[in-house]
Amino acid sequence: MIDNSVKYKPIHRLFIANRGEIALRIHRTAKAMGINTIGIITKSELQTPADEEVFIEGDTLAQTYLNIDAIINAALLKKADAIHPGYGFLSENPAFAEAAQKAGLIFVGPTAHTIREIGNKPKARLLAQSLDIPVTKGFFGTVEEIYKQKQELPYPFLIKAAVGGGGKAMTMVNSPSQLQKKLKQAEREAERYFGDNTLLMEQYISQPRHIEVQILADQHGNCIHLYERECSIQRRYQKIIEESPSPYVTDSFREKLTSDAQKLCKEIGYQNAGTVEFLVDSDGNHYFLEVNARLQVEHPVTEMVTSIDLVKQQLLIPMGLP
């Protein structure tokens, strides 16, 4: 599908708002596309793989890679057309996407509105439920509100941050004697990592499979999937091994997962690369978990299987290409 109202906006100069491996990854693809790159250097990171560099003053991450004003000003100073946030840092921060747009810069990722809506677990769960996509049983609220609903779920259950992901502020509660302490622990971590202490008390699924669907969606209303990655082998809720295709997923089950992922992204008007995550129980039932509104660390697994450069697609989509 082609929407003729979508205007083509070329990217000639790309500001990479990140460091390390992902900065190198973005630079490599941009260079192959003929795009000039601009990278950040700080007191701690004295080199960048980018074609040009800009120094951001500061001793901490809050003053450098998490400093929205400093990054936007640096991008404008270097006459960048676009900003790629990479993963981590500000990649799923709606205020950053909004600031880039207000400054007249192309943000290589979903819109600020989409990031805000899909990054909010209560809203994302309600959206999934409205589309008849299964979700686990769960309740949101403050520590006090969740404590009042403690009888609603059998032990064990999970406590996690309502905003954000990556296994941060997530803990399992095995008995009533642990509940108060673990609620307070999760609340502190949610506030520290995400600036929001709202929590989710969620049904615990024993030894689940963790399967995620890679999505690409453009400005023309097209939304495709690039199959699934299985990331069930984890340690402390952090992924260790990603595999594609999943050895567990049959053709018919793949159709269910991918169609649910696409349905969710189309409903919210998602654009750019994203990952829809599901849990699968021992009976083969799948449950929507969350959407990662960014490129994931594990994206090369999908690239190896499909031979599609996801960073290239990330850059073509905000240019207005289908």
Side-chain angles (χ1 to χ4, degrees):
M1 183 171 73
I2 301 291
D3 181 349
N4 292 319
S5 68
V6 176
K7 294 180 181 178
Y8 173 63
K9 292 186 275 185
I11 296 174
H12 300 294
R13 294 175 59 77
L14 177 67
F15 191 93
I16 302 172
N18 219 300
R19 63 181 181 182
E21 180 184 9
I22 186 57
L24 179 61
R25 171 73 189 84
I26 295 165
H27 166 72
R28 188 170 68 235
T29 286
K31 191 173 184 69
M33 295 173 70
I35 297 171
N36 201 69
T37 58
I38 305 143
I40 297 171
I41 59 169
T42 68
K43 290 178 184 177
S44 302
E45 287 85 30
L46 300 174
Q47 290 183 311
T48 172
D51 299 310
E52 299 176 33
E53 62 188 39
V54 60
F55 179 74
I56 293 184
E57 182 73 51
D59 298 309
T60 66
L61 292 177
Q63 294 169 332
T64 53
Y65 292 96
L66 292 172
N67 188 333
I68 292 175
D69 290 341
I71 290 172
I72 296 294
N73 290 337
L76 293 174
L77 177 70
K78 299 297 285 187
K79 295 182 168 52
D81 304 308
I83 288 181
H84 195 310
Y87 45 63
F89 289 143
L90 295 169
S91 61
E92 291 182 279
N93 187 313
F96 185 44
E98 203 163 55
Q101 183 184 13
K102 284 182 179 177
L105 296 160
I106 296 169
F107 182 75
V108 182
T111 64
H113 172 74
T114 298
I115 296 172
R116 221 173 248 119
E117 292 295 300
I118 214 70
N120 182 297
K121 285 193 180 74
K123 287 185 177 180
R125 283 169 62 93
L126 287 172
L127 174 64
Q129 286 174 302
S130 74
L131 298 170
D132 294 323
I133 299 171
V135 299
T136 54
K137 293 178 182 177
F139 308 94
F140 291 92
T142 62
V143 166
E144 292 74 22
E145 288 167 341
I146 284 183
Y147 195 77
K148 288 176 184 176
Q149 300 180 84
K150 61 183 182 294
Q151 306 300 331
E152 299 294 327
L153 287 179
Y155 289 89
F157 53 76
L158 287 176
I159 298 289
K160 59 173 74 171
V163 177
K168 299 289 193 300
M170 186 186 298
T171 184
M172 187 165 76
V173 182
N174 291 296
S175 66
S177 62
Q178 296 179 330
L179 180 57
Q180 192 69 24
K181 180 182 177 181
K182 294 211 169 184
L183 276 172
K184 291 293 185 183
Q185 173 192 326
E187 181 185 48
R188 286 192 303 271
E189 292 184 7
E191 181 66 45
R192 182 164 79 243
Y193 288 116
F194 309 116
D196 188 327
N197 63 8
T198 309
L199 299 175
L200 163 63
M201 180 170 78
E202 185 180 45
Q203 169 190 357
Y204 175 70
I205 298 175
S206 177
Q207 296 184 312
R209 285 184 177 270
H210 192 145
I211 298 172
E212 56 194 25
V213 176
Q214 178 68 57
I215 289 292
L216 282 175
D218 64 19
Q219 297 181 45
H220 300 265
N222 302 306
C223 179
I224 65 167
H225 74 82
L226 297 180
Y227 306 98
E228 79 285 347
R229 295 188 294 264
E230 168 137 1
C231 43
S232 301
I233 299 176
Q234 301 184 10
R235 180 173 181 266
R236 295 179 183 172
Y237 306 112
Q238 301 293 317
K239 300 164 187 173
I240 296 174
I241 293 175
E242 294 240 355
E243 184 177 4
S244 184
S246 164
Y248 177 80
V249 175
T250 60
D251 288 344
S252 59
F253 189 41
R254 180 172 293 113
E255 176 60 30
K256 285 182 186 177
L257 292 173
T258 56
S259 62
D260 276 354
Q262 288 170 288
K263 185 164 57 173
L264 187 75
C265 290
K266 284 180 179 178
E267 180 68 21
I268 203 169
Y270 195 92
Q271 293 175 14
N272 216 266
T275 308
V276 184
E277 302 202 6
F278 297 95
L279 291 180
V280 182
D281 66 21
S282 57
D283 295 321
N285 302 304
H286 69 285
Y287 305 92
F288 167 72
L289 185 60
E290 63 184 3
V291 175
N292 292 302
R294 56 172 165 80
L295 190 71
Q296 281 194 282
V297 176
E298 308 86 7
H299 73 275
V301 175
T302 293
E303 292 181 324
M304 290 175 72
V305 171
T306 62
S307 299
I308 292 173
D309 184 330
L310 289 177
V311 175
K312 181 178 181 180
Q313 296 304 315
Q314 277 198 296
L315 294 169
L316 294 176
I317 286 167
M319 289 191 206
L321 295 171

